[in-house]
Amino acid sequence: MTFALTRRSAMLGAVAATAAVAAPTLTLGQRAARASTAGLPGRITFKRGSDIWIADADGKNARLLVAGTLMGSGNWAPDGSRFVYASANHGPSSIRPDGTGNQSLTPGTGGDSVFDPVYAYGGRYVIYSNFSKLSIVNAGGTSRIGEQLISVPDDGSYYGGAAVASDGTVVFHRYFVGNGVPDIYRIDGFTTITKIIERGIEPDFSPDSTKIAFRRTTDGTLENQIWIANADGSNQVQLTTVANTGSTANSTPVWSPDGQSILFSSDSLIKRIDVASKAVVTITEGYGPSWQPVTTNVVERVWGQTALETAVATSRYNWADHGVDDGLRAPAKAVVLSRDDLYFDALGGSALAVNKQGPLLITPSDWLHPSTQAELQRVLGGSGTVYLLGGTVALTAKVEIQVKALGYQIVRLWGQDEYATAVAVAKAITPNPDAVIVATALKYYDALAAGAAAGANPGTVIVLTAGDAMPAATAAYLNTLNPDYQAAGGTAMIGVGGPGVRALLGGYQNNQMPSWPDEIDYFPVFGATEFETAIAVAEFFFDPPRTAAVATASTWYDALTGGAMIGANLGPLLLSTPGTLSAATRDYFARNSSSLKYATLLGGPLALNDALIAPLGNAIGVPGNYEYVQYTETFTPAALRAKTLTAGGAQRHALAGGRSGTAIPGTKRRRPETAGG
C-alpha cells in the first residue's frame, strides 16, 4: 500500500509516496525540445525510426541515446543535464546525456499513451500528453503517478506538444481527431485556455520566451512550413519555403540555445535555418530534433574556521545586515540560539529558525561568544527576539543576561529533558501542526535531515524519541493531536528513521496515546543508512528542488545550523562521509539535476573534503560546467544599498516564510514557483 501526503513545499502536488511498515494492530493507510534557458550550444538529439540519437550540433559523432521510444522527440532540462522522452513501456522517462541514469518518472504505470514530454518550471516538473490530455509529474521520479494539468472536456480533441515559457506560461496544440486542423492555445490561470495561433502545431518558445516557433499547414494544400510569432501569437512570420528548403514537408521546429536559429525536420533530414537571413543548411538524417542548452551550475561551500563560525557563515549567507537592502538577502526577524557542545535541545531548532525567519546560531553553554554576539547585532541591530533552546543547564543565566543586555527580548523554550524541550519548540512553531515528524534523539542524523524539511514545509514540527522508545512528554503531546490527517484539523504522523518509526508504532500499540482511534494512517520515511534516510526525507518532503545541501555525518554542528539555512531556501539536507561523496547522496543529486542549480557543502574542507566538489558539480549539470564559490563568516555582497527597511521589508531570498502558491482547481496541488536565482 502507498501513502500520499497532501501538502509539501512549493509544489504542484503532494504525491510523495513510501511503502508502509506492517504492524500487527494497525490498519495502514498510502513530457520536441520545448522552452529552455539560453546556454552554450550543446549537442542535438533527433529520431531515426523509434530511436533517439544524440550528436554534435553539426550532426557529427552521432550515437544512439535511447532505443524504442514513443511519439515526440523529447526535451532537454534547462541546464542540459537530463533529457526527457516518452518511453514505450515506462511513461515519461529521463536520461543523462551520456546514456546513464535512465529513470521512469511514473514507475509502474506503463507508457503506451504518453507523448511529447517537456520540462517545466525550471526543470522541476514534466508536462506531457497522456490519453490526449495534458498531465504533469515531478521530474525526480518520486510521484509515481502524474496528474491532469488542467481539466478539459472529453470532446474528442487531442491536447499535446506543450511548450513552457520561462515565466511558467504553457502553450500547446489542440485538434479534433478526424478534423486534423490544429490550433495553438495558451493556458491562463490553470482554469481556461485561449487560442493564440490558428492552424498552428508543434509550438516552441525561444530561449527568452518572447517568440514562438511553430509549424503551419497552408490552406487547401498539404504544404507544411515553419513560422514564428510573438509569444502572444501576434506578428506571424513565415521562415521556411520551398525556395529555401526544397521541401513542402517542414515540421517540428526547435530553437537553438542562443535564439539565433531553428532546427527542424524536412522530409527525412534535420535542417537548420538562420532566423535573420533565412539561410538553410542540412545537418543530418532524422526527424524531430531537440537542442541541448548547456548552462553553468554552482557548487557552494558555506563555512567558517570553526563550527561556531560556520554557523555565522550560514547566517550571513541568508540574512542581510540590519537596516540594509543588499538586493539579495532577507531581513531577519529573530535569532535562535543553542549551546555548541550538545545537540539534544537543538534538534527542532532548524525548523524553529525558518519559522521565525532568522538564523540558528550556537554559543558556549555558559557565555556568549563574541562572534555569535556580533552576528546577533549584525542581523537584528539593537532590538528583536532571541529564542534560547533549553533550560539554564543548556544555556546558563549568564548567557541570558548577556543577550538581554544587548537589548533583545528573550524567549526560552525548554522542558525537563530534551523530549519536553522539543515539544516546547514544536508548540512555539505552531499550536496546530499539519504534520509531526517523529525522530530519535539518540542519534542526530535523522532529526537534522528532518529539521530542514520541517522548516521548508510550514506547519511541520519535530518531536523526539529515545531510540525505539516513546518518551512520556512526546506521547502526551501526540495524544493532544488528531492523527487523521485527512480530517479538518488533523495532523499527519511521519516517522523518520527506523527508530522514529518503531517508537511511533510502539507508543501507539502500547496505548501511550489513548485518545487516538483504533486505526491510524501514518507515514514511515527511512532508509537502510543515515545517508539513505536523509534521501528518503528529501524525496518525501520535496519535489525536485533548486538547491540542496550536504553536511558531514561525522558531526552534528554543520548539519544543525546549515539545516536552518537550506530549509529557509526550500532545499533538503543530505549527508555524506567527509572524504568521499556518498554514492546514494550523489545519485540523489544526479536524479534531480534537471532542477538543481546549486549544491551546497556545509562546513570546511576538514568536514567535507574538496574531493566532493567535482562529483557534486558534475552530478547537478553537464559534467565540467560548474563553478565553485565559497561563503565564509565574513561574507558580504559586493554591492550594498543602504536603506531603511519598511515594516514589510523586501524579501529577495527564496525564504520559506514568504512563499505562497496558487491553487490549481480540481487538485490538491500548488502552482510551482518560477522565479530564478
Side-chain angles (χ1 to χ4, degrees), residues 80-257:
S81 66
R82 294 197 76 90
F83 180 81
V84 67
Y85 64 97
S87 168
N89 300 308
H90 302 291
S93 299
S94 72
I95 194 169
R96 298 280 286 184
D98 62 0
T100 63
N102 204 351
Q103 66 172 350
S104 172
L105 305 187
T106 56
T109 60
D112 289 345
S113 64
V114 169
F115 307 110
D116 301 330
V118 58
Y119 280 107
Y121 306 112
R124 299 184 65 215
Y125 303 89
V126 169
I127 295 173
Y128 58 99
S129 179
N130 188 24
F131 290 104
S132 301
K133 303 293 186 291
L134 294 178
S135 293
I136 189 164
V137 69
N138 87 48
T142 58
S143 289
R144 303 199 177 275
I145 186 169
E147 292 189 17
Q148 194 166 308
L149 180 66
I150 183 172
S151 296
V152 294
D154 291 322
D155 57 4
S157 58
Y158 174 88
Y159 297 74
V164 187
S166 56
D167 67 354
T169 299
V170 179
V171 298
F172 63 95
H173 59 235
R174 175 194 184 197
Y175 60 86
F176 287 89
V177 176
N179 180 322
V181 179
D183 299 308
I184 296 174
Y185 289 77
R186 181 183 66 233
I187 297 177
D188 295 318
F190 289 92
T191 58
T192 59
I193 60 175
T194 302
K195 185 189 296 187
I196 60 171
I197 297 174
E198 292 189 344
R199 300 186 341 274
I201 194 171
E202 301 166 350
D204 185 46
F205 276 107
S206 60
D208 63 4
S209 297
T210 63
K211 295 186 180 301
I212 294 174
F214 62 98
R215 169 167 64 102
R216 167 166 285 161
T217 300
T218 304
D219 280 335
T221 75
L222 296 178
E223 183 173 346
N224 288 271
Q225 300 294 354
I226 307 303
W227 291 59
I228 61 173
N230 292 336
D232 63 0
S234 64
N235 193 29
Q236 298 177 17
V237 176
Q238 183 175 346
L239 292 184
T240 66
T241 63
V242 174
N244 63 6
T245 68
S247 176
T248 60
N250 299 310
S251 62
T252 60
V254 55
W255 291 87
S256 63

Side-chain angles (χ1 to χ4, degrees), residues 262-300:
I262 291 173
L263 283 180
F264 61 98
S265 306
S266 184
D267 296 314
S268 297
L269 299 172
I270 302 296
K271 297 181 181 181
R272 183 181 71 243
I273 185 169
D274 180 84
V275 174
S277 69
K278 299 184 182 179
V280 176
V281 296
T282 298
I283 304 299
T284 188
E285 295 180 1
Y287 67 96
S290 181
W291 203 329
Q292 175 193 31
V294 179
T295 63
T296 300
N297 293 328
V298 183
V299 177
E300 307 170 319

